[in-house]
Amino acid sequence: MNNKPARLYVVVPCYNEEAVLPETAKRLDAFLNGLISEGEIAPDSRVMWVDDGSRDRTWELIDALCDENERFEGLKLAHNAGHQNALWAGMTEAADKCDALVSIDADLQDDINAMRGFLKEYYAGADIVYGVRSKREKDTFFKRFTAEAFYKGMAKMGVETVFNHADYRLLSRRALNELLKYTEVNLFLRGMVPTLGFKTAKVYYERGERLAGESKYPLRKMLAFAMQGVTSFSIKPIRMVTAVGFVFAAAAILAALYTLISHIAGHAVAGWTSTMLSIWLIGGVQLMALGMIGEYVGKIYMEVKRRPRFIVETYKAKTPSND
Ligand code: UDP
Ligand code: MG
């Protein structure tokens, strides 16, 4: 059981969001005030805006919001670091101020009321609560199709993610602190959070449309993000190279039989047999060798991340040992 009421921080990354900020601020302020008056969260709970190097008036708006309302805190990044890094910045800043942290997009496509469910699960003892989209009717066909293909592709590539969960989630303070111990710089939070362990829960909600403004995730960024997800988490692509190498080497044996038979039967032009054999054999051997090197590169890659090897959830002893 987590103690009530928790000091909640809502972290909102904002990149060129001048069109939605005023409305988002109004809604989040009213929502948090409601939760506070119901005793669901502590009175000093806050919203933290992270300006991800916006080029429009986003920071001026955040600056003014923080002047007029104690509920708000702002963090301005010096340049556009990208959604995941902006979130990380906000999480780092909030880590020792909050009991629980929720991350949500500035366009409020994710239903803020789902946070009530997050809190309920949190008070029941969950350290990680995932917001999961139950329907995607409001998304364009293209977005829905590419997004769902993304989650399925990830699973095939060996990256464990929560289906239809983006970055709308609650983390308890201890889950947050463990997450912040990950030292990798290529962030793919959706893959990292599930590796933490701890007690988790899911809360379903319907995803709406953007309040205003345009998506900051064009196809180009989505593809880069998917690539990031796979290459940050999985060395399966390298294994696939090795597998293709084996297939080619096996094919070389078949090709050898075929070309030899043709040679013996006398329909082969001079020189064809040896050319065919070497192409298949060398191709297969090279791919296998590349895959082998890849295995080591993959190991090095996983090593340099320096991820924690384990995370302690509880320590128990009748009489705690004094150290
Ligand atoms: N965002 C950001 N930095 C970026 C791109 C996006 O902080 O470089 C923020 C953006 O302001 C929003 C969230 O990430 O709060 C998600 O972006 P968006 O809603 O445009 O993505 P979509 O919902 O279309 O996938
Ligand atoms: Mg959005």
Side-chain angles (χ1 to χ4, degrees):
M1 276 291 276
N2 290 304
N3 291 338
K4 208 171 182 175
R7 187 179 194 197
L8 179 74
Y9 261 67
V10 178
V11 175
V12 191
C14 309
Y15 178 56
N16 295 343
E17 297 287 12
E18 61 178 13
V20 298
L21 256 181
E23 182 62 26
T24 303
K26 210 158 71 190
R27 290 195 194 185
L28 278 177
D29 185 39
F31 184 67
L32 289 197
N33 286 338
L35 289 175
I36 290 166
S37 59
E38 291 162 32
E40 280 295 308
I41 55 173
D44 52 359
S45 296
R46 287 187 162 185
V47 175
M48 176 174 304
W49 310 100
V50 184
D51 175 17
D52 185 16
S54 299
R55 280 186 291 256
D56 64 358
R57 293 183 53 252
T58 299
W59 179 250
E60 279 96 285
L61 292 176
I62 293 174
D63 194 54
L65 283 170
C66 295
D67 277 340
E68 77 204 21
N69 193 334
E70 292 209 321
R71 186 77 56 230
F72 299 138
E73 250 176 65
L75 193 66
K76 183 181 191 308
L77 303 190
H79 67 107
N80 181 227
H83 177 211
Q84 303 285 294
N85 293 318
L87 234 136
W88 193 267
M91 295 195 301
T92 310
E93 181 66 31
D96 36 329
K97 304 181 191 175
C98 65
D99 299 312
L101 181 146
V102 169
S103 47
I104 189 169
D105 291 350
D107 56 8
L108 294 195
Q109 281 189 283
D110 304 307
D111 182 10
I112 53 176
N113 291 304
M115 273 189 239
R116 287 181 180 279
F118 288 11
L119 287 164
K120 203 170 148 229
E121 297 289 352
Y122 167 75
Y123 290 128
D127 281 285
I128 303 169
V129 188
Y130 298 108
V132 178
R133 296 158 185 180
S134 56
K135 284 190 206 148
R136 279 182 172 267
E137 280 163 4
K138 300 274 168 57
D139 273 352
T140 59
F141 170 76
F142 180 72
K143 179 91 192 178
R144 191 165 67 211
F145 178 76
T146 48
E148 291 192 345
F150 167 81
Y151 292 106
K152 288 184 183 142
M154 282 294 169
K156 283 230 160 56
M157 280 295 174
V159 188
E160 190 199 338
T161 55
V162 178
F163 188 70
N164 266 343
H165 156 71
D167 284 308
Y168 185 29
R169 71 174 81 80
L170 177 144
L171 294 173
S172 70
R173 185 187 179 129
R174 70 170 176 176
L176 178 62
N177 279 315
E178 294 300 338
L179 179 66
L180 291 174
K181 286 185 192 161
Y182 284 49
T183 54
E184 61 212 71
V185 289
N186 289 292
L187 297 181
F188 184 67
L189 290 167
R190 279 168 227 190
M192 291 160 74
V193 174
T195 64
L196 285 171
F198 289 123
K199 191 170 177 230
T200 62
K202 287 180 193 166
V203 169
Y204 292 86
Y205 67 94
E206 282 181 35
R207 180 165 158 96
E209 280 168 62
R210 226 176 199 283
L211 281 182
E214 281 178 357
S215 171
K216 309 295 179 291
Y217 263 102
L219 184 62
R220 178 178 54 79
K221 271 197 193 170
M222 281 201 292
L223 286 176
F225 188 57
M227 199 60 198
Q228 168 94 311
V230 173
T231 53
S232 289
F233 270 83
S234 153
I235 49 173
K236 262 205 176 168
I238 292 174
R239 299 248 156 87
M240 279 154 76
V241 173
T242 320
V244 172
F246 272 109
V247 171
F248 269 49
I253 296 172
L254 294 180
L257 284 176
Y258 172 67
T259 44
L260 279 178
I261 291 167
S262 305
H263 182 72
I264 292 162
H267 354 225
V269 186
W272 179 77
T273 314
S274 52
T275 314
M276 279 311 277
L277 277 177
S278 17
I279 288 176
W280 282 90
L281 204 63
I282 291 177
V285 168
Q286 275 180 337
L287 278 176
M288 278 199 286
L290 268 181
M292 253 350 261
I293 295 171
E295 278 292 319
Y296 289 98
V297 175
K299 282 258 152 53
I300 294 168
Y301 180 58
M302 291 300 170
E303 283 290 335
V304 295
K305 281 183 193 289
R306 304 210 160 275
R307 283 193 186 161
R309 291 194 195 91
F310 59 87
I311 294 168
V312 175
E313 184 163 325
T314 328
Y315 162 79
K316 188 162 178 168
K318 198 166 178 196
T319 45
S321 60
N322 39 351
D323 48 318

